[in-house]
Amino acid sequence: MKKEIASLIELDRQRTLLAHIDALLGWDQETYLPKSAVDERAEQIALIQGLVHEKAVEPRVGQLLSALEKHPDLEPLEKAYLRVIRREYDKETKLPPDFVMELARQTSLAQAAWADARRTNDFALFAPHLEKVIELNKRLANYINPHGRPYDVLLDLYEEGSTEAGIAAIFAQMKADTLKILSKIQSRPQVDDSFLHRPVSADRQARISLYLMDAVGFEKDKGRLDTVAHPFTTTLGKSDIRITTRYIEDFLASSMFSTIHESGHALYEMGIDPDPEYSGTRLAEPVSMAIHESQSRLWENMIGRSKAFWERHYAKIQEMAGTLDDVDLDSFVLAINKVEPSLIRTEADEVTYGLHIILRFELESSIMADKLAVKDIPEAWNAKTKELFGLDVPNNSSGCLQDIHWSMGSFGYFPSYALGNLYAAQFWHQMHKDIPDLEAQLTAGKTSVPLAWLRKNVHCHGSFYKPDELVKKATGEGLSPRYFAEYLDNKYAAVYGY
Amino acid sequence: MKKEIASLIELDRQRTLLAHIDALLGWDQETYLPKSAVDERAEQIALIQGLVHEKAVEPRVGQLLSALEKHPDLEPLEKAYLRVIRREYDKETKLPPDFVMELARQTSLAQAAWADARRTNDFALFAPHLEKVIELNKRLANYINPHGRPYDVLLDLYEEGSTEAGIAAIFAQMKADTLKILSKIQSRPQVDDSFLHRPVSADRQARISLYLMDAVGFEKDKGRLDTVAHPFTTTLGKSDIRITTRYIEDFLASSMFSTIHESGHALYEMGIDPDPEYSGTRLAEPVSMAIHESQSRLWENMIGRSKAFWERHYAKIQEMAGTLDDVDLDSFVLAINKVEPSLIRTEADEVTYGLHIILRFELESSIMADKLAVKDIPEAWNAKTKELFGLDVPNNSSGCLQDIHWSMGSFGYFPSYALGNLYAAQFWHQMHKDIPDLEAQLTAGKTSVPLAWLRKNVHCHGSFYKPDELVKKATGEGLSPRYFAEYLDNKYAAVYGY
């Protein structure tokens, strides 16, 4: 290894350690932090994120990059590493340290305010924080590219190379596909999922979640499960990937599929290993939010809602839940695939899910273009919900306060979720070609088989390939929305018998 | 406020933030860290402790100190603050940064090894780590004062001004007092505490612990309770003081009194406020380990094992435990005050407790004087246990592996526990003079009355007074072991009827 690469890796590893400490501060804030400690935690997070930023913009990094980029003889791993570090370095050096700490502090406070606002259904509590976060996001975009359109700049942060126009085109196709499939579904009798709403105690649901983590191959010596208001996965170290869930007593399916979803994220993080020499560096990090989401959605929906998976596990879940003894496997599988327009994104079925993303994408676009003021967000949200879903929003907690993302400062993140569905369907299509007996393997409880495919084709690479290169390498072509539409149409034709 | 003081405070607050982040890393390691993440956590802790150290030794601190110490017109708070910072600065600047990080890393690994060794009763697993920690402690002492005796130097770190000879003299008196009282107790029939060993589930014990936290005035919006192998209290922020306990199914009293003990530590931390302008500085930190322990022991033993306290709370505990319905209040109070030589320090009664400390003090003395090798520790431990308690040690987990302290690198810490008992008795004596109806207040459930006394006379001062000044101010005289002997003799004359 070139000694400049080694120096770069050493600096990078310090940054990673600090980033993992920051992840612990954030995880603890969502799980166990005493109520009165929120302000102090904001200071702690601001301090650490300031240190992460300092490490990322150390002049030595720039010097090493410039020297190495001129090197005549770079190996593929080295080239990929330099590309990743260069992108980060250029971005980070554009951000003043005061701004980075201000963003960290404000978003930490905004998260706490959002949680209060959501609990008490009081948008006014959150509005001033949201104003601040939006202003900071506009400044962020302006620092990174003062000539770009702010929303384009933010979208590119989450999915390299994406633009508002590009995503709008994909979403237009996705919306048309979705509405077509939805109308076929709505022409058929609705499936019965009432038994999924029989009360199951949080204790029992927690045991079921732990069982499902094992079922999908989550390595429990390298992670854990905790309870939060808004489930997420976070990486505190290569061997410390933590998922979270919430238990809604009269909706067992919520924690079950949230746990599988977050486990899918965790399996990706646990499987990243482009090369042992690059362990603890940014090359050993996920390549994008959309690829990350493809992993969670693939496990949640394509595996976790398949009959093959439940043939293996349903009897055990019946026993653990204690409320499904009179429900046969087929009825259960129909129920967990029920499609119905609804208010809450995280509880949405996989058909209507994309509409929730389109709603947020369109609002973010208006906000970033100064066409929508914070005070008008609830009304705009409710109007779009009526338009897309035909539903009235009874209160802001079920509307514009439902998601944590804006409070975290993440504008431009939402589209990743829908792109994740598209990537997932394309991987799933290819996986079936490569593993003809995939269903039989799942029925036999061998989730290790799809996991091995994902490890080899997606996880292990980390950030070695860009997202579009990764999908090409794994499936032979660039991202296409058609696999998702095909997947949905095939699956729901069977579920709803249309 | 002088602007140099303000600058010093600003630097100090950064250090405190980092120290609190370090506390979170440590708390998480003991409570929730996945097993495979221990090595990474050691790296994270080493990095943060290195940063804490860097902050503490910033040349600017030394410059500000030197300038301020010459100032002709310092207020008492300023003088006290400069004294505290000077002591720390002089100590920290003597430690090479590499050594600080090495100590952090090794003790993090040693703690994990100790936990394994204790669980599997395998001293050999821990021995190499202990060798390393001892060597590091000798180096630590040598850095701080190459001319001092190593154990003296270490003892002074925990209790300013203490020496091995001074503590040996106090302990000689304490040992004589203890053995005299113990022989009176042993001349009487033993009390029955068998009902305390009826199985009570961890869930029920947890609810009892949460109840007792309320009973002593623990502010739950500023802290929390979690489960660990070895209970401790840790401060993650002014409003984030976390206690821990463990639940032994067939020994309800263990978690009950451990929880009150740790709550006593937490109440101290929650009450520190020498002055709002010094919030987040080292002046707003506990003055010493022994004073800290005096608070936990006072709540655990003097209040928590008093009949007055239980007159208020016993019926509720009977209901929550479900195993004490046939046990009347007097029998319960006798049982929780049972005295019996035993193997485990943390489960020891308050009479024999001091003997456990004397054992450790004597071993540490030999180890630091190179008179006892690590491989010979188990044998030496067992021999002293026979000598002091008349007991055989069946395995190292009940012997020299029982305490976490050495694995944490804390040599010289143990004497603080016994000094804490002495301070506690002296405060307790004075509190009775100042509050003649103290027992009646406790019976009425007013733990806020002794808490207010402690807040005013001990807690609020933080590090404004040195330990010996604090006890003089609160009680009118320096530390004297006679109050503890009197307290024990009076109490146990009643319990055992001698």
Side-chain angles (χ1 to χ4, degrees):
Chain A
M1 177 179 284
K2 297 171 184 66
K3 77 174 195 310
E4 294 90 347
I5 291 273
S7 302
L8 211 45
I9 286 177
E10 199 188 320
L11 289 167
D12 201 10
R13 285 194 176 133
Q14 300 274 307
R15 186 212 59 102
T16 302
L17 279 177
L18 287 165
H20 287 159
I21 291 167
D22 177 47
L24 172 62
L25 290 164
W27 172 84
D28 183 74
Q29 167 155 336
E30 298 302 319
T31 51
Y32 298 120
L33 189 74
K35 194 171 161 46
S36 296
V38 169
D39 291 353
E40 283 178 288
R41 178 53 51 87
E43 296 300 320
Q44 294 164 0
I45 288 175
L47 177 69
I48 288 292
Q49 294 192 353
L51 291 172
V52 171
H53 177 69
E54 267 178 36
K55 288 280 173 202
V57 301
E58 268 193 26
R60 181 99 184 102
V61 173
Q63 292 155 12
L64 288 164
L65 274 175
S66 301
L68 281 160
E69 283 162 349
K70 285 182 219 127
H71 202 289
D73 181 29
L74 290 169
E75 293 164 22
L77 270 168
E78 292 174 333
K79 273 189 200 160
Y81 186 50
L82 294 181
R83 172 180 58 75
V84 170
I85 297 290
R86 169 57 75 190
R87 177 171 148 90
E88 284 274 305
Y89 182 76
D90 284 353
K91 186 188 87 185
E92 294 290 326
T93 48
K94 290 174 182 166
L95 305 179
D98 282 356
F99 172 78
V100 172
M101 292 184 66
E102 172 77 358
L103 184 63
R105 187 181 299 111
Q106 292 297 344
T107 52
S108 179
L109 294 172
Q111 279 175 66
W114 165 78
D116 278 351
R118 181 175 187 256
R119 197 179 51 252
T120 58
N121 186 33
D122 184 356
F123 184 73
L125 274 184
F126 181 47
H129 292 274
L130 185 53
E131 301 258 17
K132 189 81 200 157
V133 168
I134 289 169
E135 187 230 315
L136 287 165
N137 263 277
K138 287 177 184 165
R139 281 174 59 197
L140 173 67
N142 188 56
Y143 284 129
I144 291 173
N145 181 0
H147 310 297
R149 296 178 63 244
Y151 197 37
D152 279 343
V153 177
L154 296 174
L155 288 166
D156 182 76
L157 291 180
Y158 297 100
E159 193 70 4
E160 194 173 350
S162 67
T163 61
E164 184 176 344
I167 290 174
I170 292 173
F171 282 3
Q173 182 63 48
M174 185 179 77
K175 186 174 170 182
D177 294 337
T178 298
L179 294 177
K180 200 159 71 186
I181 293 164
L182 191 58
S183 88
K184 292 192 217 171
I185 288 171
Q186 288 181 326
S187 73
R188 300 289 305 156
Q190 186 52 285
V191 304
D192 173 26
D193 73 341
S194 57
F195 45 81
L196 294 179
H197 294 279
R198 294 171 184 166
V200 178
S201 71
D203 277 358
R204 277 177 185 256
Q205 292 195 40
R207 281 194 291 275
I208 289 172
S209 280
L210 292 168
Y211 173 86
L212 290 171
M213 287 163 73
D214 287 334
V216 299
F218 186 105
E219 297 165 76
K220 285 189 182 145
D221 63 327
K222 297 185 185 168
R224 47 178 293 116
L225 172 72
D226 294 274
T227 311
V228 291
H230 187 102
F232 62 92
T233 296
T234 183
T235 297
L236 289 70
K238 186 176 163 45
S239 302
D240 190 359
I241 323 283
R242 305 190 185 183
I243 69 168
T244 58
T245 193
R246 64 178 165 210
Y247 304 110
I248 301 169
E249 232 181 49
D250 62 359
F251 195 19
L252 170 63
S254 171
S255 67
M256 283 173 54
F257 291 98
S258 148
T259 296
I260 299 178
H261 178 98
E262 302 303 335
S263 294
H265 281 305
L267 290 171
Y268 180 22
E269 296 271 347
M270 287 173 175
I272 296 179
D273 186 17
D275 187 278
E277 291 199 310
Y278 288 85
S279 159
T281 73
R282 264 164 290 190
L283 200 66
E285 291 192 353
V287 65
S288 80
M289 293 298 162
I291 295 295
H292 225 308
E293 191 69 10
S294 77
Q295 299 308 295
S296 56
R297 304 290 287 176
L298 192 151
W299 283 99
E300 177 192 352
N301 291 324
M302 287 146 199
I303 294 175
R305 296 185 201 265
S306 69
K307 184 168 177 192
F309 179 80
W310 288 107
E311 275 181 0
R312 174 69 178 193
H313 299 292
Y314 184 55
K316 187 72 193 170
I317 296 300
Q318 279 181 306
E319 184 193 319
M320 294 172 89
T323 53
L324 298 170
D325 292 348
D326 59 337
V327 178
D328 65 19
L329 174 63
D330 282 329
S331 306
F332 176 77
V333 173
L334 287 183
I336 61 176
N337 284 294
K338 179 181 177 184
V339 173
E340 186 168 57
S342 65
L343 292 171
I344 306 294
R345 177 185 60 83
T346 56
E347 309 295 352
D349 60 80
E350 58 184 332
V351 177
T352 60
Y353 187 90
L355 302 177
H356 289 271
I357 300 307
I358 290 170
L359 181 157
R360 287 151 181 78
F361 172 71
E362 291 178 357
L363 290 185
E364 286 188 346
S365 167
S366 300
I367 291 167
M368 285 299 145
D370 292 323
K371 290 181 192 156
L372 178 61
V374 164
K375 70 172 171 41
D376 300 323
I377 288 176
E379 200 184 325
W381 185 288
N382 298 352
K384 282 213 183 288
T385 302
K386 190 76 183 175
E387 175 201 328
L388 288 165
F389 300 93
L391 296 173
D392 293 314
V393 178
N395 55 58
N396 290 327
S397 297
S398 310
C400 64
L401 285 174
Q402 68 180 268
D403 291 314
I404 197 173
H405 303 64
W406 290 346
S407 77
M408 294 170 70
S410 301
F411 278 77
Y413 184 128
F414 282 119
S416 303
Y417 289 126
L419 296 176
N421 277 333
L422 308 184
Y423 280 126
Q426 193 159 336
F427 291 138
W428 188 239
H429 178 83
Q430 184 64 36
M431 202 192 289
H432 275 86
K433 283 209 232 166
D434 294 346
I435 311 168
D437 65 343
L438 181 57
E439 312 296 320
Q441 297 285 1
L442 287 176
T443 301
K446 303 266 193 224
T447 48
S448 57
V449 172
L451 180 56
W453 190 95
L454 293 167
R455 286 265 196 263
K456 175 170 170 255
N457 291 286
V458 181
H459 301 179
C460 75
H461 301 302
S463 292
F464 183 80
Y465 299 109
K466 290 188 207 174
D468 55 334
E469 294 169 353
L470 184 72
V471 72
K472 263 183 212 143
K473 185 164 159 59
T475 70
E477 61 175 310
L479 180 65
S480 159
R482 83 179 173 92
Y483 295 104
F484 185 58
E486 278 176 23
Y487 156 77
L488 287 184
D489 207 16
N490 288 335
K491 174 168 173 178
Y492 288 94
V495 170
Y496 279 88
Y498 60 70
Chain B
M1 176 176 284
K2 298 172 183 65
K3 77 175 195 312
E4 294 89 347
I5 292 274
S7 302
L8 212 45
I9 286 176
E10 200 187 319
L11 289 166
D12 201 10
R13 286 196 175 132
Q14 299 275 307
R15 186 213 59 104
T16 302
L17 280 178
L18 287 165
H20 287 158
I21 292 166
D22 177 48
L24 172 63
L25 290 164
W27 172 85
D28 183 73
Q29 167 154 336
E30 298 301 319
T31 50
Y32 297 120
L33 189 74
K35 195 169 160 47
S36 296
V38 170
D39 290 353
E40 283 178 288
R41 178 53 52 86
E43 295 301 320
Q44 294 165 359
I45 288 175
L47 177 69
I48 288 290
Q49 293 191 355
L51 290 173
V52 172
H53 178 69
E54 266 178 37
K55 287 280 172 202
V57 300
E58 268 193 27
R60 180 98 184 103
V61 173
Q63 292 155 11
L64 288 164
L65 273 175
S66 301
L68 282 160
E69 283 162 348
K70 285 183 218 129
H71 201 288
D73 181 28
L74 291 169
E75 292 163 23
L77 270 169
E78 293 174 333
K79 274 189 197 158
Y81 185 50
L82 294 180
R83 172 180 58 74
V84 169
I85 297 290
R86 169 59 73 190
R87 177 169 148 91
E88 286 273 306
Y89 181 74
D90 284 353
K91 188 189 87 187
E92 294 289 327
T93 48
K94 289 173 181 166
L95 304 179
D98 282 356
F99 172 79
V100 173
M101 291 183 69
E102 172 77 358
L103 185 63
R105 188 180 298 112
Q106 292 297 343
T107 52
S108 180
L109 294 172
Q111 279 175 67
W114 164 78
D116 277 351
R118 182 174 186 255
R119 197 180 51 250
T120 57
N121 186 32
D122 184 355
F123 184 73
L125 274 185
F126 181 48
H129 291 274
L130 185 53
E131 300 259 18
K132 189 80 199 156
V133 167
I134 289 169
E135 187 231 314
L136 287 166
N137 263 276
K138 286 177 184 165
R139 281 172 60 195
L140 173 67
N142 188 57
Y143 284 128
I144 292 174
N145 181 1
H147 310 297
R149 299 178 61 243
Y151 198 37
D152 280 343
V153 177
L154 296 175
L155 288 165
D156 181 76
L157 291 181
Y158 297 101
E159 192 69 3
E160 191 173 351
S162 67
T163 61
E164 184 176 346
I167 290 174
I170 292 173
F171 281 4
Q173 181 62 49
M174 187 179 76
K175 185 174 171 182
D177 294 338
T178 297
L179 294 177
K180 201 157 73 185
I181 292 163
L182 191 57
S183 87
K184 292 191 216 173
I185 288 170
Q186 288 180 327
S187 72
R188 301 288 303 156
Q190 187 51 288
V191 304
D192 173 25
D193 73 341
S194 56
F195 45 80
L196 294 180
H197 295 277
R198 295 171 184 167
V200 178
S201 71
D203 277 357
R204 277 175 185 257
Q205 292 195 40
R207 282 195 291 275
I208 289 171
S209 280
L210 292 168
Y211 173 86
L212 290 171
M213 287 163 74
D214 287 335
V216 300
F218 185 105
E219 297 164 78
K220 284 188 183 148
D221 63 327
K222 296 186 184 166
R224 46 178 296 114
L225 172 71
D226 295 274
T227 312
V228 292
H230 186 102
F232 63 92
T233 296
T234 183
T235 297
L236 289 71
K238 186 176 163 44
S239 302
D240 190 0
I241 324 283
R242 304 190 186 183
I243 69 168
T244 57
T245 192
R246 65 179 166 211
Y247 304 110
I248 301 169
E249 239 188 37
D250 62 359
F251 195 19
L252 171 62
S254 171
S255 67
M256 281 172 56
F257 291 99
S258 148
T259 296
I260 299 178
H261 178 98
E262 302 302 337
S263 293
H265 281 304
L267 291 171
Y268 180 21
E269 297 271 349
M270 287 173 176
I272 296 179
D273 185 17
D275 187 278
E277 291 199 311
Y278 288 86
S279 158
T281 73
R282 264 165 290 190
L283 200 66
E285 290 192 356
V287 65
S288 80
M289 293 298 163
I291 295 295
H292 225 309
E293 191 69 9
S294 76
Q295 299 308 296
S296 57
R297 304 290 287 177
L298 192 150
W299 283 99
E300 177 192 352
N301 291 325
M302 287 148 200
I303 294 175
R305 295 186 201 267
S306 69
K307 184 168 176 191
F309 179 81
W310 288 106
E311 276 181 0
R312 174 71 178 192
H313 299 292
Y314 184 55
K316 187 72 194 172
I317 297 298
Q318 279 181 305
E319 184 193 317
M320 294 171 90
T323 53
L324 298 170
D325 292 347
D326 59 337
V327 179
D328 65 20
L329 173 64
D330 283 329
S331 306
F332 176 77
V333 173
L334 287 183
I336 61 176
N337 285 294
K338 179 182 177 184
V339 172
E340 186 170 55
S342 64
L343 292 170
I344 305 294
R345 177 184 61 84
T346 55
E347 309 295 352
D349 60 80
E350 60 184 330
V351 176
T352 59
Y353 187 90
L355 301 177
H356 289 272
I357 299 307
I358 289 170
L359 181 156
R360 286 152 182 78
F361 173 70
E362 292 178 357
L363 291 184
E364 286 188 346
S365 168
S366 299
I367 291 167
M368 284 300 144
D370 293 323
K371 290 180 192 155
L372 178 61
V374 165
K375 70 171 171 41
D376 299 324
I377 288 176
E379 200 184 325
W381 185 288
N382 298 352
K384 282 214 182 285
T385 302
K386 189 76 182 175
E387 175 201 327
L388 287 165
F389 299 93
L391 297 173
D392 294 313
V393 178
N395 56 58
N396 290 329
S397 297
S398 311
C400 64
L401 284 175
Q402 67 180 270
D403 291 313
I404 197 174
H405 302 66
W406 290 345
S407 77
M408 293 170 70
S410 301
F411 278 77
Y413 184 129
F414 282 120
S416 303
Y417 289 127
L419 297 176
N421 277 333
L422 308 185
Y423 280 125
Q426 193 159 334
F427 291 138
W428 188 239
H429 178 83
Q430 185 64 37
M431 202 192 290
H432 275 88
K433 284 209 232 166
D434 294 345
I435 310 168
D437 65 342
L438 181 56
E439 312 296 321
Q441 298 284 3
L442 288 176
T443 301
K446 302 266 194 222
T447 48
S448 57
V449 172
L451 180 56
W453 190 96
L454 292 167
R455 286 265 195 264
K456 175 169 169 252
N457 291 285
V458 182
H459 301 179
C460 76
H461 301 303
S463 292
F464 183 80
Y465 300 109
K466 289 189 210 173
D468 55 334
E469 294 169 353
L470 183 72
V471 72
K472 263 183 209 143
K473 183 160 162 61
T475 71
E477 62 176 310
L479 180 65
S480 160
R482 83 180 175 90
Y483 295 104
F484 186 57
E486 279 176 22
Y487 156 77
L488 287 184
D489 207 15
N490 288 335
K491 175 169 174 178
Y492 288 94
V495 170
Y496 277 90
Y498 60 71

